[in-house]
Amino acid sequence: MLEFPWREGQLHLFQLDGHLLLFDVASSSLFQIDEAAWAILKEGKTSPLDVALARAREKFGPKAEEAFYELKLLSLKGLILAPDPALNAQYAPFPYLKALCLNLAHECNMRCSYCFAGQGTYGGERGLMPPEVARKAVDFLLERSGPLKRLEIDFFGGEPLLDFSVLKEAVLYGKERAEKMGKEIRFTVTTNCLLLSEQVGEFLNKTNMRVVLSIDGRKEDHDKNRLLINGKGSHDLILSRIRKFLSSRGEKLYYLRGTYTAETLNFLDNALYLFDLGYSEVSMEPVVALPNEPYAIRAEHLPEIFRQYELLAKEIDRREREGRELHFFHFEVDTTGLTCVSKRLSGCGAGVEYLAVTPSGSLYPCHQFVGRSDFKMGTVWEGITNQEKLEEFRHLSFLEKENCRTCWARYLCSGGCHANHHLLSGNLKKPDFIGCEITKKRMECALYLKLLRRERGKGSAKERTEGLEKESNI
Amino acid sequence: MTILSEKIDTVHFKLIETPKKDLKKVWDCRDCSSSCQSACKTSCTLANQVCQRENE
């Protein structure tokens, strides 16, 4: 049923590079529209049906009638102004665990200036995870996973390859135990690449592990922040490790992950640099920092950041027209195969479905909460002892978050990152403005890239991802 | 007004993408992956997550 004025957060109308786009929030449908349709919908945000149509008719004549008729039909089909499936409901996830982040090392062999983890220590003591803690963490995940079949473990730090033997043991132990229980664990490692030797690479390839390789891009930008312990830049060393490793990997299941800061806002150059080195999987993330840090991203940086994302979408399109296939992580939004609404309401699942484990076996809601003592939830030995915290996170859907209920991006970002909200606003339910603005702009550019790809007759992001998954037998 | 059988392109609205399934029909299978096990590890969102069950 078409109702004007439509409510805030039902539709998102936006223009990019002269194209008019409409995203229907509840049905997750994306349209390119013409000026007559745009005029009706724009006016319909504040005016009743007859007024919106009359104003559009003044400018577009019979075309406005035609667009209005089509709009009504698409509304009947549930593709535009579809009823919201969740606004009057509450869907708390089951307290089953499906993913663990194992901080194998609260220690690092680099000294990156912007590190949110305090150069690996998270504000505590340096240390490596003993094998018995890693094994116990695997047991804890499997035992707490209930009926879930697909589980995940991500190795993180500090630098998780500082003790490769523990990583190896956890993977082999996890695979064996999961198989006996009829489950499957997917493993990922995030590394600064310094210890990415041939032997390590062989193991990662053989076990089909996903890898996230940290590199910020061009030497001059990377070396501003990603420093070795001796204070020297790490770019050349890291790039040589990445080249060797990826040549053995066959271009699958990896991302080159960079961080941009207020001092390196030109992430476009850095993403293109990585693409132009011949790699197709790239991610660039805004730094996580308190506002008083000189490298923290502030509101005045947003226009430049938006410009960078727009240019990046166009540059990716240009290179793809020349025959490349490129994936920028945040532009690979798939609206055709989304997870169901219950999952999209509950977000990343931190504190409930997803927990982080420190080297001593303490549990936190996610890797970013590690070291914030109020958020300690228990240990792998005792299990969850802080039930109150578990329940708090279990009910932390976007329906509970300030401004999210009426935000057009709510089903795509699910209320965003709890840890960032807490760090920047001191409140889990209060999203940080800058993070939200960046997320929304990235979504717009991702949707725009879909239009460009469709014009070229290219498959969806999901179809291309499925190709990768099949190739690697995952 | 022309509605093509699959693409649903009309004169004024060109459909670029829409979900292939009713997002409400598969509540709580919970087989989807955790969004944090991804390439970002910061500013995590669900945008890149797809239904695992659909891949079977």
Side-chain angles (χ1 to χ4, degrees):
Chain A
M1 181 68 184
L2 194 58
E3 277 184 43
F4 275 16
W6 48 272
R7 291 187 307 280
E8 181 73 26
Q10 278 190 292
L11 297 178
H12 182 53
L13 293 162
F14 65 104
Q15 295 186 55
L16 228 155
D17 207 26
H19 298 276
L20 304 177
L21 288 140
L22 157 65
F23 181 68
D24 184 75
V25 175
S27 72
S28 287
S29 302
L30 174 68
F31 291 88
Q32 182 182 23
I33 61 176
D34 70 0
E35 286 183 333
W38 176 275
I40 293 171
L41 287 164
K42 196 85 181 161
E43 185 65 35
K45 190 174 182 183
T46 49
S47 305
L49 271 171
D50 52 340
V51 176
L53 181 56
R55 295 220 170 120
R57 207 188 281 126
E58 281 169 20
K59 194 167 176 192
F60 296 99
K63 278 189 178 176
E65 298 281 359
E66 192 179 48
F68 185 63
Y69 177 64
E70 291 179 1
L71 175 62
K72 280 204 289 192
L73 282 179
L74 291 168
S75 172
L76 281 172
K77 275 184 166 289
L79 292 171
I80 296 183
L81 291 170
D84 194 304
L87 277 186
N88 297 314
Q90 178 62 265
Y91 301 99
F94 297 122
Y96 298 128
L97 190 58
K98 69 165 70 163
L100 276 186
C101 176
L102 262 59
N103 279 5
L104 291 186
H106 277 193
E107 170 64 284
C108 193
N109 49 359
M110 285 181 59
R111 294 292 180 267
C112 304
S113 56
Y114 52 52
C115 181
F116 78 87
Q119 272 80 35
T121 66
Y122 292 83
E125 288 178 9
R126 297 192 181 277
L128 301 175
M129 183 178 281
E132 57 271 24
V133 174
R135 280 197 304 272
K136 186 65 193 169
V138 171
D139 293 341
F140 176 72
L141 170 64
L142 289 165
E143 283 156 16
R144 219 182 145 80
S145 60
L148 302 179
K149 301 283 183 204
R150 294 184 180 87
L151 308 176
E152 297 170 60
I153 290 180
D154 179 23
F155 299 106
F156 201 64
E159 171 48 43
L161 294 182
L162 280 175
D163 189 349
F164 175 59
S165 66
V166 175
L167 182 147
K168 196 172 166 182
E169 187 169 341
V171 171
L172 297 176
Y173 178 72
K175 277 184 180 285
E176 190 189 333
R177 275 222 60 197
E179 200 181 325
K180 279 183 187 159
M181 293 173 74
K183 296 174 188 261
E184 179 197 11
I185 304 177
R186 292 198 318 184
F187 294 92
T188 306
V189 61
T190 300
T191 176
N192 63 27
C193 308
L194 281 184
L195 296 170
L196 196 52
S197 64
E198 205 170 310
Q199 180 208 359
V200 171
E202 258 176 42
F203 180 80
L204 300 180
N205 291 342
K206 203 171 133 196
T207 50
N208 264 330
M209 279 181 69
R210 289 160 186 267
V211 291
V212 180
L213 308 168
S214 297
I215 179 167
D216 284 358
R218 301 178 310 169
K219 184 176 168 65
E220 57 267 41
D221 291 320
H222 178 102
D223 284 349
K224 272 181 195 160
N225 294 305
R226 298 194 67 80
L227 307 173
L228 300 168
I229 289 177
N230 64 13
K232 291 187 176 164
S234 61
H235 175 273
D236 296 348
L237 208 48
I238 279 166
L239 184 58
S240 71
R241 302 279 196 275
I242 288 175
R243 281 185 196 277
K244 202 174 273 183
F245 171 64
L246 289 183
S247 67
S248 73
R249 166 145 281 231
E251 293 288 307
K252 63 183 183 185
L253 300 179
Y254 75 92
Y255 258 99
L256 299 183
R257 184 215 183 276
T259 297
Y260 67 84
T261 74
E263 293 158 350
T264 52
L265 288 178
N266 57 330
F267 61 87
L268 165 71
D269 294 337
N270 288 315
L272 294 181
Y273 166 80
L274 297 173
F275 284 137
D276 292 345
L277 285 175
Y279 303 116
S280 58
E281 319 293 314
V282 171
S283 163
M284 284 284 159
E285 304 299 325
V287 70
V288 174
L290 288 166
N292 58 346
E293 299 287 358
Y295 52 80
I297 290 167
R298 294 180 293 278
E300 67 259 31
H301 300 131
L302 288 175
E304 177 57 19
I305 290 171
F306 292 175
R307 195 180 74 87
Q308 297 273 323
Y309 279 122
E310 282 188 21
L311 288 171
L312 182 55
K314 288 182 211 168
E315 279 300 315
I316 287 174
D317 176 58
R318 195 174 69 77
R319 281 163 170 75
E320 287 187 342
R321 283 174 197 273
E322 289 168 357
R324 293 283 309 277
E325 184 147 319
L326 304 175
H327 303 151
F328 180 69
F329 181 72
H330 285 293
F331 290 170
E332 294 301 306
V333 173
D334 188 344
T335 56
T336 67
L338 289 168
T339 54
C340 53
V341 173
S342 52
K343 173 65 179 164
R344 288 189 290 146
L345 272 170
S346 59
C348 65
V352 187
E353 297 176 338
Y354 170 62
L355 295 172
V357 186
T358 68
S360 62
S362 295
L363 298 169
Y364 286 85
C366 82
H367 58 291
Q368 286 209 64
F369 282 106
V370 170
R372 301 184 208 176
S373 57
D374 292 354
F375 286 89
K376 186 177 167 184
M377 296 185 67
T379 68
V380 290
W381 315 102
E382 304 163 294
I384 304 278
T385 49
N386 192 343
Q387 288 294 334
E388 203 179 312
K389 202 52 87 183
L390 175 80
E391 286 304 311
E392 186 180 0
F393 276 92
R394 195 164 162 246
H395 292 89
L396 202 57
S397 79
F398 72 62
L399 297 171
E400 305 296 320
K401 291 194 176 185
E402 209 174 279
N403 303 330
C404 291
R405 288 176 75 98
T406 54
C407 174
W408 69 267
R410 63 187 180 275
Y411 282 118
L412 298 177
C413 92
S414 298
C417 173
H418 306 321
N420 280 359
H421 301 166
H422 183 262
L423 178 76
L424 296 168
S425 72
N427 185 341
L428 288 168
K429 294 181 181 177
K430 192 174 177 193
D432 67 293
F433 168 76
I434 292 171
C436 285
E437 292 302 302
I438 291 176
T439 299
K440 285 188 280 188
K441 187 63 191 183
R442 282 194 310 226
M443 297 290 179
E444 283 187 351
C445 291
L447 297 174
Y448 172 58
L449 193 54
K450 283 181 184 300
L451 165 69
L452 298 176
R453 281 174 172 162
R454 175 173 154 159
E455 282 176 349
R456 282 184 274 121
K458 280 199 66 168
S460 69
K462 179 163 182 272
E463 283 159 357
R464 287 182 286 120
T465 309
E466 276 173 353
L468 277 176
E469 304 247 331
K470 278 175 195 158
E471 212 179 285
S472 58
N473 295 320
I474 281 186
Chain B
M1 162 87 178
T2 314
I3 293 189
L4 302 175
S5 56
E6 291 299 320
K7 288 184 177 171
I8 317 182
D9 279 350
T10 71
V11 176
H12 303 275
F13 296 82
K14 182 163 86 177
L15 183 65
I16 309 299
E17 210 168 81
T18 195
K20 291 174 186 162
K21 60 175 184 178
D22 182 342
L23 298 170
K24 289 171 286 183
K25 277 191 182 163
V26 280
W27 301 101
D28 290 324
C29 81
R30 297 280 165 187
D31 265 358
C32 40
S33 54
S34 159
S35 64
C36 244
Q37 308 303 94
S38 59
C40 55
K41 289 304 273 186
T42 56
S43 65
C44 307
T45 70
L46 279 192
N48 312 68
Q49 296 300 300
V50 295
C51 175
Q52 295 295 313
R53 185 169 279 193
E54 280 216 326
N55 287 335
E56 285 177 349

